[in-house]
Amino acid sequence: GFYRNIILNNPRKRNALSLSMLQSLREDLLHDVKSKDLRVIIISAEGPVFCSGHDLKELSNEDDVKHHSQVFEICAEVMTLIQKLPVPVIAKVNGLATAAGCQLVASCDIAVASEKSQFATPGVNIGLFCSTPAVALGRSLPRKVALEMLFTGEPLSAQEALMHGLVSKVVPEDKLEEETMKISQKICESSKSILALGKATFYRQMTQDLDTAYKTTTQVMVDNLTLRDGQEGIEAFIQKRKPVWSH
């Protein structure tokens, strides 16, 4: 009951982020998210393509500006929602992730990829520059690496993605499930309330200058000590026992 597995399950359409897929993803991410039992969300996909990005058929009519706006707005909402959730979100990638699919990987807190996975933002090649994926890419990768991906559309291998920080780990395909669950199980050993505080603070301070970030996190450390699980963890350490979290 500690894990929620969200599976992109439209392999025939390369798990494209159609409007309906985005709406379903948002609904699944938000479902019972405040439950004490939910500690980790894992996003994976069926088929050889993790996610090919937006469904281009939905974007082919130049006159349908309202629909286009709706697609990009809900996509931005989903990507930012991932980082606002009180639980860690892990992307389990086994295959190709392109455009908004690459954006989805970059937006997750942790990403574990199989060795065969690849990552690309090829929109420039079809006349639709990956401007919204660039937001997540530019915050995950060194600027020059992100811009090379955006300007050329050429893919990164799994190992290159690891080297540049787009993913957390790369493992053989047959070890992908095991490694993802290993990380998830380790997360589940900690207090949900402490993790929620830590995650929210991490993303908040990342947008701040150094002095403000230290001011913010100093106060959060003090606040952390007022939480029941903050005191329980310290007492358990001193008493050399396992903590009993209230979450």
Side-chain angles (χ1 to χ4, degrees), residues 55-72 128:
D55 184 346
L56 294 179
K57 288 184 178 179
E58 290 189 338
L59 308 178
S60 60
N61 185 347
E62 64 182 24
D63 296 323
D64 198 358
V65 175
K66 185 177 179 181
H67 180 78
H68 298 168
S69 296
Q70 189 179 9
V71 169
F72 291 122
L128 182 63

Side-chain angles (χ1 to χ4, degrees), residues 78-123:
V78 167
M79 301 301 169
T80 55
L81 172 63
I82 288 170
Q83 296 179 358
K84 292 175 183 176
L85 294 174
V87 297
V89 180
I90 302 174
K92 184 174 76 172
V93 186
N94 188 30
L96 185 64
T98 61
C102 188
Q103 179 185 3
L104 179 59
V105 175
S107 298
C108 288
D109 303 309
I110 296 171
V112 185
S114 69
E115 292 172 334
K116 75 176 188 180
S117 299
Q118 289 187 305
F119 306 86
T121 48

Side-chain angles (χ1 to χ4, degrees), residues 17-86:
L17 293 176
S18 63
L19 182 59
S20 61
M21 178 77 91
L22 286 164
Q23 289 168 335
S24 295
L25 183 54
R26 179 179 61 183
E27 184 179 336
D28 288 342
L29 286 167
L30 286 170
H31 176 71
D32 205 21
V33 75
K34 293 184 179 179
S35 166
K36 195 182 289 187
D37 291 334
L38 179 64
R39 310 284 173 74
V40 180
I41 295 174
I42 300 167
I43 300 177
S44 61
E46 288 292 330
V49 176
F50 175 78
C51 180
S52 60
H54 291 294
D55 184 346
L56 294 179
K57 288 184 178 179
E58 290 189 338
L59 308 178
S60 60
N61 185 347
E62 64 182 24
D63 296 323
D64 198 358
V65 175
K66 185 177 179 181
H67 180 78
H68 298 168
S69 296
Q70 189 179 9
V71 169
F72 291 122
E73 284 167 7
I74 192 173
C75 184
E77 182 184 341
V78 167
M79 301 301 169
T80 55
L81 172 63
I82 288 170
Q83 296 179 358
K84 292 175 183 176
L85 294 174

Side-chain angles (χ1 to χ4, degrees), residues 139 199-209 213 217:
R139 286 160 171 76
K199 175 176 173 176
T201 305
F202 176 83
Y203 286 113
R204 182 180 168 197
Q205 64 85 24
M206 284 293 288
T207 64
Q208 298 173 336
D209 64 75
T217 53

Side-chain angles (χ1 to χ4, degrees), residues 86-191:
V87 297
V89 180
I90 302 174
K92 184 174 76 172
V93 186
N94 188 30
L96 185 64
T98 61
C102 188
Q103 179 185 3
L104 179 59
V105 175
S107 298
C108 288
D109 303 309
I110 296 171
V112 185
S114 69
E115 292 172 334
K116 75 176 188 180
S117 299
Q118 289 187 305
F119 306 86
T121 48
V124 67
N125 297 330
I126 60 164
L128 182 63
F129 196 87
C130 285
S131 294
T132 45
V135 175
L137 237 64
R139 286 160 171 76
S140 295
L141 293 164
R143 182 177 299 182
K144 288 178 174 59
V145 177
L147 286 171
E148 183 178 345
M149 289 181 69
L150 291 161
F151 290 164
T152 68
E154 288 297 301
L156 290 184
S157 68
Q159 287 297 336
E160 288 171 325
L162 177 65
M163 178 174 66
H164 295 304
L166 181 58
V167 301
S168 321
K169 288 195 174 180
V170 173
V171 295
E173 184 177 2
D174 62 354
K175 298 288 185 183
L176 183 60
E177 175 70 15
E178 178 185 334
E179 187 61 36
T180 304
M181 292 311 298
K182 182 180 174 183
I183 295 169
S184 301
Q185 287 160 4
K186 187 62 181 175
I187 289 169
C188 288
E189 292 176 8
S190 299
S191 160

